[in-house]
């Protein structure tokens, strides 16, 4: 079977896949109402929030858009804190909908510098919201969201909008305790599901902002989701099959315990990082303490053709890895280990790299433990 090791979508466990072949039900009937209420409560527990959480039919970008259009008006000033491609996308969406975007960009491979965030917030007292990526999938870097939210929310009283797409359910994120107003995530990452659902939380401050927010919205207007939720329905036809799958995925997550899910992600990531270093390769994040537990970004060694390496892994080993995005194309490659990833799957990647690297002109310095 193909070892799909990209940073989402991820291989979905068989029992979850099977639920997706079940017959349709009435999405405005009692059976769906039970599923909607049960899954929403389950998602809330993963988010560690008592606030509203909505299950949307969309990929993660839809939830990023929803975070923005539901809390902001054209002309509002925001700071977009970015450490990579997805960080830039968050700011771009805000800009498309008319926000005045102050860009706070950090070099790829580094994390957010809190002092620079403070400087920016001091320099622009009229900033309304801070947009930030928890885990930057394009660079394999996890930001210290707790510290960022403490500065943005507690020190400066700003609205905090979080792209938690490749972190929630894999890396600890305490929505309420950390003061995150809106957190957006997507099913194809740590949730062990196919793509197609997005989850979004809204704090009381986010609802207050919503009451004033004038950005255009229809499909992603969260007040419709809220109104319909009260009668146990989604506003529009939901992805029923994915809801069956979510119901089972949440049962599995609860049976394992969310703490164990986080630990499993840490240990698969650590195994990947150790394996990479044993091969003589280096991690892209400048400091290992900021390296992500859901995706490992690795420098392509000098003189190595990244697409050739990825091609050999695909055709000769049935392993699918990701290259670098945008300006990182050809410079890094990435191994995804979110969702249900086993030690055997990671070992298989390391063994295949040991065989493939010499074929692209790099001699692995494999140190056997
Ligand atoms: N943000 C991050 C951090 C992501 O990892 C992704 C998906 N790779 C996105 C945003 C975009 O999500 P989607 O492709 O589900 O729209």
């Amino acid at each position: 079977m193909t070892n799909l090791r990209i940073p989402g979508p991820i291989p979905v466990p068989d029992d979850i896949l099977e639920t997706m072949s079940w017959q349709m039900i009435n999405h405005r009937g009692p059976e769906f109402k039970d599923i909607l209420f049960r899954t929403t409560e389950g998602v809330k527990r993963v988010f560690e929030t008592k606030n509203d959480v909505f299950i949307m039919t969309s990929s993660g970008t839809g939830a990023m858009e929803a975070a923005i259009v539901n809390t902001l008006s054209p002309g509002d000033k925001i700071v977009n804190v970015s450490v990579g491609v997805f960080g830039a996308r968050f700011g771009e969406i805000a800009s498309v909908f008319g926000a005045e975007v102050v860009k706070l960009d950090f070099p790829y491979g580094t994390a957010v510098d809190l002092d620079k965030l403070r400087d920016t917030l001091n320099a622009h007292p009229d900033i309304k919201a801070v947009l930030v990526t928890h885990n930057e999938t394009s660079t394999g870097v996890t930001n210290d969201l707790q510290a960022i939210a403490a500065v943005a929310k507690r020190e400066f009283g700003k609205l905090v909008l979080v792209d938690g797409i490749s972190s929630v359910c894999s890396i600890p994120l305490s929505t309420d305790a950390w003061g995150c107003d809106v957190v957006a995530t997507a099913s194809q990452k740590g949730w062990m599901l196919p793509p197609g659902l997005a989850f979004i939380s809204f704090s009381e401050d986010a609802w207050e902002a919503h009451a004033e927010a004038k950005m255009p919205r229809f499909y992603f207007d969260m007040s419709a989701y809220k109104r319909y939720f009260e009668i146990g329905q989604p506003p529009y036809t939901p992805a029923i099959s994915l809801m069956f799958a979510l119901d089972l995925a949440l049962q599995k997550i609860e049976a394992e315990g969310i703490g164990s899910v986080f630990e499993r992600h840490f240990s698969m990531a650590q195994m990947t990082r150790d394996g990479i270093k044993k091969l003589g390769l280096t991690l892209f994040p400048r400091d290992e303490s900021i390296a992500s537990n859901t995706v490992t970004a690795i420098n392509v060694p000098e003189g190595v053709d990244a697409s050739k390496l990825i091609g050999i892994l695909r055709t000769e080993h049935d392993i699918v890895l990701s290259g670098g995005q945008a300006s990182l194309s050809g410079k890094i490659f990435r191994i995804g280990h979110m969702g249900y990833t086993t030690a055997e799957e990671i070992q298989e990647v390391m063994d295949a790299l040991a065989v493939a690297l010499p074929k692209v002109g790099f001699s692995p310095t494999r140190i056997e433990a």
Side-chain angles (χ1 to χ4, degrees), residues 7 59-61 64 86 89 133 135 137 163 165-166 186 188-189:
S59 80
T61 306
M64 293 163 82
F86 292 106
R89 182 181 298 180
T133 321
N135 184 80
T137 320
D163 169 353
I165 291 172
S166 60
Q188 79 274 22
K189 306 285 185 183

Side-chain angles (χ1 to χ4, degrees), residues 2-335:
T2 301
N3 190 355
L4 183 66
R5 296 266 63 89
I6 61 172
I10 45 96
V12 175
D14 286 344
D15 52 351
I16 295 181
L17 278 182
E18 276 161 26
T19 64
M20 299 195 45
S21 65
W22 295 352
Q23 192 50 272
M24 291 300 100
I25 59 171
N26 175 11
H27 62 292
R28 308 220 175 271
E31 214 183 331
F32 190 84
K33 180 177 179 172
D34 285 348
I35 295 173
L36 182 65
F37 283 168
R38 190 165 57 236
T39 51
T40 303
E41 282 309 309
V43 174
K44 274 191 195 188
R45 281 193 288 274
V46 174
F47 271 66
E48 293 183 36
T49 185
K50 301 233 172 323
N51 295 323
D52 287 324
V53 163
F54 302 103
I55 301 169
M56 307 161 55
T57 309
S58 121
S59 80
T61 306
M64 293 163 82
E65 182 172 319
I68 291 166
V69 300
N70 281 281
T71 56
L72 299 170
S73 299
D76 278 348
K77 196 189 259 192
I78 62 111
V79 57
N80 189 61
V81 187
S82 172
V83 299
V85 172
F86 292 106
R89 182 181 298 180
F90 216 1
E92 202 183 323
I93 300 170
S95 171
V96 163
F97 282 93
E100 190 187 329
V101 180
V102 176
K103 286 188 186 175
L104 181 57
D105 294 337
F106 296 95
Y108 288 1
T110 69
V112 173
D113 176 335
L114 295 176
D115 287 334
K116 295 214 167 99
L117 174 59
R118 281 192 188 94
D119 291 348
T120 307
L121 292 170
N122 277 322
H124 301 272
D126 51 342
I127 278 174
K128 184 165 175 196
V130 174
L131 275 57
V132 65
T133 321
H134 185 196
N135 184 80
E136 179 50 75
T137 320
S138 68
T139 61
V141 166
T142 305
N143 281 314
D144 184 349
L145 180 63
Q146 184 173 13
I148 294 167
V151 169
K153 185 85 187 165
R154 311 225 190 279
E155 280 180 38
F156 287 86
K158 309 298 178 188
L159 211 54
V160 179
L161 311 184
V162 179
D163 169 353
I165 291 172
S166 60
S167 64
V168 181
C169 205
S170 304
I171 298 171
L173 193 171
S174 294
T175 302
D176 294 356
W178 294 1
C180 301
D181 291 300
V182 180
V183 175
T185 187
S187 57
Q188 79 274 22
K189 306 285 185 183
W191 303 81
M192 302 186 290
L193 293 167
L197 294 180
F199 314 124
I200 192 164
S201 68
F202 272 76
S203 70
E204 279 180 27
D205 287 353
W207 280 120
E208 262 179 44
H210 179 89
E212 310 285 316
K214 302 240 169 1
M215 281 187 183
R217 54 183 180 262
F218 186 87
Y219 191 63
F220 293 143
D221 189 337
M222 287 302 131
S223 48
Y225 274 83
K226 191 172 172 61
R227 225 172 36 246
Y228 273 84
F229 187 79
E230 269 145 38
I231 55 163
Q233 293 181 20
Y236 316 111
T237 313
I240 294 172
S241 309
L242 283 167
M243 292 297 287
F244 293 149
L246 172 63
D247 203 10
L248 180 57
L250 287 167
Q251 283 171 39
K252 287 167 83 85
I253 289 161
E254 302 229 332
E256 185 177 355
I258 191 70
S260 307
V261 172
F262 296 150
E263 276 170 32
R264 180 162 53 71
H265 278 84
F266 170 76
S267 70
M268 287 308 102
Q270 197 55 49
M271 183 181 172
T272 308
R273 293 188 282 261
D274 289 346
I276 284 304
K277 286 187 286 177
K278 273 190 194 163
L279 287 168
L281 296 168
T282 55
L283 299 174
F284 178 64
R286 289 209 197 144
D287 173 354
E288 195 168 329
S289 68
I290 57 169
S292 166
N293 286 341
T294 57
V295 52
T296 296
I298 301 138
N299 289 306
V300 174
E302 195 71 30
V304 167
D305 179 342
S307 58
K308 204 166 160 196
L309 176 65
I310 291 168
I312 292 173
L313 288 168
R314 195 185 66 246
T315 53
E316 296 177 21
H317 301 271
D318 205 9
I319 293 171
V320 182
L321 304 186
S322 286
Q325 291 165 279
S327 65
L328 291 174
S329 175
K331 300 209 171 88
I332 63 167
F333 67 99
R334 295 171 300 151
I335 303 173

